[in-house]
């Protein structure tokens, strides 16, 4: 049988854990939300230690995502991808900023090679990052894949501002908690 439909879902706890009217006034609070989502995903054993959120230029929360690769048996179900897909569905367009409005992606950890590329195509204007790729490699078994040597410069040339190391210690703590819980069992 060839399946004609793909169904990806966020865990049910997201609806209780995230107020859809959330406004995050600054970069640190945006990344803190992504990290809280990652931590809840680990605590509730619903996926990997990654969280992401998309915000409008006013700081209003547009969408969230958590890593759902293993529960959904889908290699593209990364936190950033889930956040992009739900934002795109909500906005009814594949390029979020096509109308000139600006969007920010906040992530608990540096995007992997897949999410790096999607960040360009999804139409975000700012990328806020908690943990670095080297933190992910040090604390977990994840392989984040290759990025261009000057990946920050490449995003900047494409009009995407990158801010790194926001709430980095908190983001590293989630990665360590995942490792200490047994990691890839869920």
């Amino acid at each position: 049988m060839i399946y004609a439909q793909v169904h990806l879902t966020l865990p049910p706890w997201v609806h209780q854990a995230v107020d859809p009217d959330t406004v995050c006034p600054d970069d640190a609070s945006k990344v803190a939300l992504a990290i809280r989502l990652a931590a809840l995903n680990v605590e509730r054993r619903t996926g990997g230690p990654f969280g992401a959120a998309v915000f409008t230029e006013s700081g209003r929360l547009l969408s969230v995502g958590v890593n759902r690769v293993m529960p959904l048996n889908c290699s593209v179900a990364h936190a950033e991808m889930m956040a992009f897909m739900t934002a795109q569905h909500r906005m009814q367009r594949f390029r979020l900023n096509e109308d000139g409005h600006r969007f920010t992606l906040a992530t608990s950890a540096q995007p992997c090679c897949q999410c790096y590329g999607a960040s360009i195509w999804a139409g975000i204007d700012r990328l806020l990052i908690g943990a670095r790729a080297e933190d992910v490699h040090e604390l977990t078994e994840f392989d984040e894949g290759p990025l261009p040597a000057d990946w920050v410069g490449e995003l900047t040339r494409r009009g995407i501002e990158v801010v790194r190391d926001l709430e980095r210690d908190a983001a590293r703590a989630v990665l360590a908690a995942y490792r200490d819980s047994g990691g890839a069992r869920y």
Side-chain angles (χ1 to χ4, degrees):
M1 171 188 280
I2 296 178
Y3 290 96
Q5 183 175 355
V6 175
H7 187 72
L8 302 177
T9 58
L10 292 171
W13 58 259
V14 167
H15 300 290
Q16 288 82 40
V18 179
D19 179 353
D21 296 322
T22 295
V23 175
C24 291
D26 57 44
D27 292 349
S29 64
K30 290 175 178 76
V31 172
L33 175 60
I35 294 167
R36 185 168 66 90
L37 290 166
L40 287 168
N41 209 35
V42 171
E43 290 169 17
R44 301 201 179 178
R45 306 178 82 75
T46 52
F50 304 100
V54 175
F55 295 89
T56 65
E57 56 198 323
S58 67
R60 183 178 59 85
L61 180 64
L62 180 62
S63 69
V64 300
V66 293
N67 180 284
R68 300 283 287 153
V69 170
M70 292 185 74
L72 299 177
N73 293 307
C74 181
S75 63
V76 299
H78 290 200
E80 297 92 337
M81 301 299 282
M82 298 295 285
F84 285 149
M85 287 185 280
T86 55
Q88 291 161 339
H89 185 74
R90 186 171 179 187
M91 298 296 293
Q92 288 298 291
R93 58 181 181 238
F94 64 88
R95 185 154 186 87
L96 296 173
N97 63 1
E98 72 182 13
D99 65 355
H101 287 93
R102 296 176 53 81
F103 293 87
T104 297
L105 172 68
T107 66
S108 62
Q110 179 179 315
C112 69
C113 58
Q114 169 185 252
C115 298
Y116 166 82
S119 295
I120 295 166
W121 301 317
I124 62 162
D125 304 284
R126 300 184 73 230
L127 172 59
L128 310 176
I129 302 169
R132 290 180 175 232
E134 52 262 33
D135 300 327
V136 175
H137 293 147
E138 173 192 339
L139 297 168
T140 72
E141 73 284 356
F142 294 104
D143 177 359
E144 298 299 275
L147 291 177
D150 183 21
W151 65 271
V152 172
E154 184 60 37
L155 290 176
T156 302
R157 281 187 289 284
R158 292 171 178 266
I160 301 172
E161 176 189 359
V162 178
V163 181
R164 299 169 73 186
D165 299 333
L166 294 163
E167 307 292 322
R168 185 176 179 189
D169 290 339
R172 284 178 53 85
V174 173
L175 297 169
Y178 178 79
R179 175 200 61 209
D180 296 346
S181 72
R185 294 188 316 231
Y186 50 93

